[in-house]
Amino acid sequence: MEEGGLVKLYKFITGSDSFTPLGLERVITVRFIHWCVSDCKCRPTASTCDPSINLPVHYSNMSSFEEAMTSAMKEGFGLGLI
């Protein structure tokens, strides 16, 4: 069964495959990263301990952001472990 976009995003941020019945212990924090240069190739990152997501703001269009977000979620699967 293919996971939907929100499930993948939740998994990327929390490291959990499913929503817990009692909810998260902490609220998910969204941080916007402003100190990147305009031609930077950095991507969104997540911290499953917080839980939080860090979003660079230097993308010039939605397509660039979607590409970076998609690759970050795919390559960050399993906390980067093989």
Side-chain angles (χ1 to χ4, degrees), residues 28-68:
I28 294 173
T29 304
V30 179
R31 295 183 187 100
F32 296 98
I33 309 301
H34 293 274
W35 54 84
C36 296
V37 292
S38 61
D39 60 347
C40 177
K41 300 294 182 199
C42 68
R43 295 178 296 172
T45 59
S47 173
T48 58
C49 296
D50 283 344
S52 65
I53 186 165
N54 303 304
L55 301 171
V57 297
H58 61 72
Y59 299 106
S60 59
N61 56 54
M62 190 62 177
S63 177
S64 296
F65 172 74
E66 287 175 349
E67 183 179 317

Side-chain angles (χ1 to χ4, degrees), residues 5-44:
L6 285 178
V7 173
K8 288 179 184 178
L9 181 61
Y10 183 81
K11 187 175 184 178
F12 178 69
I13 297 170
T14 66
S16 178
D17 288 302
S18 60
F19 300 103
T20 57
L22 298 177
L24 291 172
E25 188 174 309
R26 298 183 193 148
V27 175
I28 294 173
T29 304
V30 179
R31 295 183 187 100
F32 296 98
I33 309 301
H34 293 274
W35 54 84
C36 296
V37 292
S38 61
D39 60 347
C40 177
K41 300 294 182 199
C42 68
R43 295 178 296 172

